[in-house]
Amino acid sequence: MPQITLPDGSIRPYDGPVTGTGIAEDISKSLAKKAIAMKVDGEVRDIWDSIEKDAKVEIVTRDSAEGLDLVRHDAAHLLAQAVQELFPGTQVTIGPVIEDGFYYDFARKEPFSTEDFEKIEKKMAELVDADLPTKKEVWDRDEAIAKFESMGEKYKAELIRDLPGSEDIKVYHHGDWFDLCRGPHLPSTKHIGKSFKLMKLAGAYWRGDHRNEQLQRIYGTAWLSDKDLKAHLTRLEEAEKRDHRRLGREMDLFHLQSEAQGSVFWHAKGFTIWRELEAYIRRQLDADGYEEVKTPQLLDSVFWQQSGHWAKFRENMFVVPDEVPNTEDDAPLLSGKADMMALKPMNCPAHVQIFKQGIKSYRDLPIRMAEFGCCHRNEPHGALHGLMRVRQFTQDDAHIFCREDQIVDETIRFLNLFATVYGDVGFTDITYKIATRPEVRAGSDEAWDRAEQMLEEAFKQSGLEYEILPGEGAFYGPKLEFHLTDAIGRTWQCGTFQLDYVLPERLDAAYIGEDGNRHRPVMLHRAVFGSFERFIGLLIEQYAGKMPLWLAPTQMVVATVTTDANDYAEKVAAEFRAAGMRVETDLRNEKINYKVREHSHAKVPLIAVVGGREAEERKLSLRRLGSKDSSVMGVDEALAELKKESLAPDLKR
RNA sequence: GCCGCGGUAGCUCAGUGGUAGAGCGCACCCUUGGUAAGGGUGAGGUCGAGAGUUCAAUUCUCUCUCGCGGCACCA
């Protein structure tokens, strides 16, 4: 006698087991038509499942968040079904729902090509039109394994083998085709609709492990309506326009070229942004009790052996032989016997060397040692991505040497600095994470317990929301991660904060404690921007190139209406430059419309138009980027206002 | 590094087994125009590199390289 509680609080008693369809029909005919699944005590289930006990039930319709997920999940099945019909011999593996869509991983000897997409999409549409009903069966584990193996579906068989014994082996049929699946699913293929599109093709390792065979992954997007699909595709196009690589070229900020792949050629305009940011963060660090240092770029491999990087990080290091190259044309360039040096991939070991000079007392701690250190890492070719992932980058790096009892305070101090800086540059959408102990790690569990607790404590005291990333910490300690999202939804880690008990030990850093004995300091690795490169890349995308005034490479263009005003324009520009602003003039023989258009496209925040009228009255006509209006004002008034406005946020305070 | 896709003028892209085209940009000339494209003329390309097939390759094939999208990696 199940009692079904509906979302409105009403209770419906039933004499026996009842299906979601039955409940929906009892509520209303129109709901029954739209019902595609149900939520039983919060869990999404197949609409045709029987409910035998009292439960809270909510009917799920297509146009709900759950409905959209179901559509996408079914679309993944649909893709698999279409592919298997079109390409016999293809094995299916997994096909989950992801943001905005789904993917399915296939095992097939011959490669798919994006040219196959049209054919597959057509087949998918046919299957939707066929309105194949969904049927669920629970199979015996061994029989299921045998069945899938006999079909040549070894991945499915492996999945079943690895399912916990407590779990049912559920098989969903869509017409004649079936797949092992946790479900739930739509009642039939027609509910999927046709607002889907196959997007891209990629290799992906079975179970995400590069030692396994590589599968072929087809990504798709699916929506409830063609309108939604179109809107999504438009969003992607818009996002492309915000791509920092594109804007970097259009705005003459930087470029990359193959002779220095992964390293950036900063043009004057791009480097202006860098310089402003560097000056800004240096002021913050100075004010926050950091001391700035500069350490060597190239260090002997013996040093990296001591630090542990040679063992753990060597494959990502650029190694340089310490040898005079042979100058004979025919002789080998290098003897192969030279000692090796390496470009630093990190600054931390060098900072320990500075710490170790002289004797440190507990009274000296904490020491906050900062460096705008340029690091090189030999990243895999496939990982390189514009400014976001490069092989040479400069961090706003610092290491805090402190006692264990200072960790919480230092963490809070950092979080405050971090929040100030990100607020100042306009990043608001940040995800905070604590990455905890990985399986392979150094140090005792007690030390890890303490370290993780201290980080959480700091977060709690700072009032920031965070999530835990289990097992994602560094081998030497837990870390805080700060994630930002780029134009197309990829997230990037920028700032970082890592606890390290290991490096001071390895490199024998010590201070004299109150008790007169030697103690190990704890090292906190931390960066606010992370790398200038990535941070600037994200800034460009965040602002779609329309940088805030203090960061804009060119803050103002003084554009003349006629050549008669040229001398005046030069004079005005000079006055603004004298006030510390970055100002250019546009004296070209072009119409003012043309100039305004061009500088607007170049995303210059301010355009000062000057003609005969302005020259006569020592005025300018100011137009702000994104505005159609302009306002005429006196030069002195504009100078006072804009000089203040163009200051970095900290200097305005 | 792995899988798929790509590389033609500064940029965006078209095109072809008989050694190339557009728009924008650039230079020059005319135009002195009041807030998102005034007109004209012109310059500009080893069609990513190498090899192969062919009478002939930018076009077809292979290798390499770089780029793009994923995957793996990101101590």
Side-chain angles (χ1 to χ4, degrees):
Chain A
M1 291 279 285
Q3 301 233 6
I4 302 302
T5 310
L6 298 172
D8 65 0
S10 65
I11 296 175
R12 281 169 190 262
Y14 286 90
D15 294 338
V18 62
T19 65
T21 317
I23 297 169
E25 276 167 356
D26 287 346
I27 296 170
S28 81
K29 264 210 168 120
S30 60
L31 182 63
K33 252 190 186 166
K34 288 197 293 184
I36 55 163
M38 61 179 165
K39 257 165 123 176
V40 181
D41 293 331
E43 184 197 357
V44 182
R45 302 259 303 266
D46 294 317
I47 188 82
W48 62 88
D49 274 358
S50 284
I51 305 169
E52 295 171 10
K53 293 182 297 192
D54 292 0
K56 282 188 184 159
V57 173
E58 185 183 339
I59 301 300
V60 173
T61 57
R62 197 163 176 275
D63 49 356
S64 64
E66 293 86 0
L68 182 55
D69 272 359
L70 286 166
V71 164
R72 288 174 178 160
H73 188 188
D74 276 59
H77 274 216
L78 189 67
L79 166 62
Q81 184 172 3
V83 164
Q84 286 204 310
E85 289 193 13
L86 291 168
F87 306 93
T90 303
Q91 290 187 66
V92 290
T93 65
I94 56 160
V97 172
I98 52 172
E99 190 169 4
D100 298 335
F102 60 92
Y103 67 77
Y104 208 106
D105 285 351
F106 299 99
R108 175 173 179 246
K109 282 205 187 74
E110 302 73 32
F112 288 113
S113 154
T114 42
E115 286 171 17
D116 298 326
F117 281 8
E118 204 179 324
K119 199 161 66 172
I120 298 171
E121 284 170 348
K122 211 175 134 217
K123 175 60 84 178
M124 288 167 73
E126 281 171 22
L127 295 169
V128 169
D129 285 335
D131 194 19
L132 305 170
T134 310
K135 199 176 81 188
K136 175 168 62 176
E137 287 176 347
V138 175
W139 285 8
D140 173 77
R141 176 174 297 254
D142 294 335
E143 281 173 23
I145 293 171
K147 174 72 179 166
F148 280 110
E149 280 192 336
S150 74
M151 293 166 67
E153 298 281 2
K154 65 171 189 150
Y155 295 94
K156 281 289 173 194
E158 187 178 328
L159 286 173
I160 297 170
R161 275 199 192 91
D162 290 352
L163 280 177
S166 57
E167 198 155 323
D168 286 342
I169 310 300
K170 284 184 265 184
V171 172
Y172 280 83
H173 295 254
H174 307 282
D176 297 333
W177 188 82
F178 60 90
D179 193 11
L180 169 79
C181 187
R182 185 185 304 132
H185 278 283
L186 302 173
S188 76
T189 52
K190 99 176 159 198
H191 295 278
I192 302 169
K194 295 182 188 172
S195 305
F196 54 74
K197 183 173 163 59
L198 301 183
M199 302 297 285
K200 48 200 179 190
L201 187 59
Y205 299 102
W206 169 235
R207 301 202 149 170
D209 189 330
H210 69 279
R211 289 163 301 192
N212 290 341
E213 50 275 65
Q214 192 162 42
L215 307 171
Q216 300 187 64
R217 175 173 298 177
I218 297 177
Y219 284 90
T221 187
W223 299 83
L224 296 178
S225 67
D226 285 347
K227 195 174 144 230
D228 289 355
L229 172 62
K230 202 168 162 230
H232 176 245
L233 297 176
T234 308
R235 271 198 302 279
L236 290 181
E237 272 172 41
E238 288 301 312
E240 234 171 81
K241 292 182 193 156
R242 292 219 314 269
D243 191 310
H244 72 282
R245 293 164 298 184
R246 176 187 178 130
L247 289 169
R249 185 177 54 239
E250 287 175 0
M251 296 174 68
D252 192 21
L253 303 177
F254 64 88
H255 84 271
L256 294 148
Q257 66 185 55
S258 57
E259 289 82 355
Q261 55 172 304
S263 299
V264 184
F265 290 80
W266 285 99
H267 299 193
K269 286 187 174 162
F271 200 61
T272 299
I273 300 175
W274 178 310
R275 295 203 324 172
E276 282 297 324
L277 283 171
E278 184 173 333
Y280 163 82
I281 193 73
R282 183 174 271 130
R283 289 193 299 271
Q284 307 312 306
L285 294 177
D286 286 349
D288 206 31
Y290 287 81
E291 51 189 48
E292 186 176 336
V293 300
K294 202 78 175 172
T295 61
Q297 211 59 42
L298 200 54
L299 293 107
D300 200 286
S301 60
V302 173
F303 175 76
W304 297 111
Q305 283 162 24
Q306 283 164 5
S307 71
H309 290 84
W310 200 252
K312 289 209 188 296
F313 204 70
R314 190 173 44 198
E315 63 179 5
N316 285 300
M317 288 165 71
F318 286 101
V319 173
V320 182
D322 182 11
E323 175 174 283
V324 179
N326 198 319
T327 51
E328 306 287 325
D329 285 343
D330 300 335
L333 186 68
L334 299 167
S335 68
K337 293 177 199 159
D339 289 336
M340 290 297 169
M341 303 187 79
L343 289 168
K344 66 174 170 185
M346 305 171 196
N347 305 302
C348 33
H351 289 184
V352 176
Q353 305 314 305
I354 294 181
F355 178 88
K356 280 172 66 180
Q357 299 300 305
I359 294 173
K360 296 291 181 293
S361 150
Y362 71 94
R363 296 174 199 277
D364 297 324
L365 304 184
I367 292 173
R368 306 188 189 92
M369 195 183 292
E371 174 171 6
F372 296 108
C374 177
C375 296
H376 289 79
R377 297 184 190 173
N378 197 343
E379 303 283 2
H381 289 78
L384 301 177
H385 180 87
L387 295 179
M388 305 299 197
R389 190 85 181 263
V390 289
R391 291 171 139 183
Q392 176 191 299
F393 56 94
T394 301
Q395 295 173 301
D396 62 325
D397 200 11
H399 295 92
I400 301 170
F401 296 87
C402 66
R403 305 189 308 262
E404 198 167 23
D405 63 282
Q406 294 172 317
I407 292 176
V408 174
D409 280 352
E410 286 303 316
T411 309
I412 294 170
R413 196 186 177 99
F414 176 75
L415 288 173
N416 287 338
L417 173 65
F418 185 90
T420 303
V421 171
Y422 278 50
D424 279 349
V425 298
F427 282 132
T428 48
D429 194 10
I430 310 155
T431 327
Y432 298 87
K433 304 185 182 195
I434 301 180
T436 58
R437 68 194 78 186
E439 286 195 19
V440 182
R441 58 180 179 265
S444 67
D445 283 355
E446 292 73 44
W448 277 92
D449 286 341
R450 283 201 308 276
E452 289 168 8
Q453 274 163 21
M454 284 188 283
L455 292 181
E456 283 209 54
E457 179 58 29
F459 259 118
K460 281 184 186 136
Q461 288 195 32
S462 67
L464 294 164
E465 296 209 359
Y466 61 93
E467 56 185 273
I468 304 278
L469 287 177
E472 294 287 311
F475 78 93
Y476 50 72
K479 59 183 185 183
L480 307 184
E481 295 185 359
F482 308 92
H483 294 256
L484 291 170
T485 305
D486 73 7
I488 43 181
R490 287 183 285 218
T491 66
W492 299 93
Q493 196 180 324
C494 289
T496 182
F497 187 93
Q498 309 181 14
L499 253 65
D500 186 355
Y501 293 93
V502 174
L503 196 63
E505 179 80 35
R506 280 201 76 104
L507 294 177
D508 193 27
Y511 66 91
I512 308 299
E514 244 174 312
D515 56 5
N517 294 324
R518 274 165 57 92
H519 297 275
R520 290 280 170 231
V522 178
M523 251 178 115
L524 309 178
H525 306 247
R526 43 107 294 161
V528 182
F529 293 161
S531 84
F532 280 85
E533 283 80 358
R534 182 178 289 181
F535 196 77
I536 293 171
L538 281 156
L539 266 178
I540 292 168
E541 302 207 349
Q542 159 96 357
Y543 287 108
K546 296 173 188 163
M547 306 306 280
L549 191 59
W550 69 287
L551 290 172
T554 301
Q555 294 172 316
M556 184 163 87
V557 168
V558 182
T560 49
V561 180
T562 66
T563 44
D564 292 342
N566 283 4
D567 289 347
Y568 176 67
E570 293 278 26
K571 216 173 119 238
V572 169
E575 288 192 47
F576 277 89
R577 286 191 197 111
M581 287 182 65
R582 297 183 288 273
V583 180
E584 289 171 18
T585 52
D586 185 350
L587 312 181
R588 291 174 303 170
N589 176 14
E590 295 290 354
K591 291 196 171 180
I592 193 63
N593 281 347
Y594 183 90
K595 294 184 184 180
V596 166
R597 179 171 196 271
E598 191 170 282
H599 299 303
S600 297
H601 276 305
K603 302 174 176 62
V604 176
L606 302 166
I607 300 174
V609 172
V610 295
R613 296 206 292 267
E614 287 79 7
E616 215 144 283
E617 302 173 42
R618 196 173 147 71
K619 285 186 169 170
L620 52 78
S621 169
L622 189 70
R623 180 186 168 119
R624 288 171 185 272
L625 183 59
S627 160
K628 283 206 179 347
D629 305 323
S630 54
S631 56
V632 177
M633 59 174 85
V635 169
D636 297 312
E637 187 194 343
L639 261 170
E641 183 183 324
L642 296 175
K643 183 179 172 183
K644 200 168 155 216
E645 193 181 327
S646 62
L647 290 174
D650 61 316
L651 298 177
K652 283 184 196 163
R653 286 196 274 271

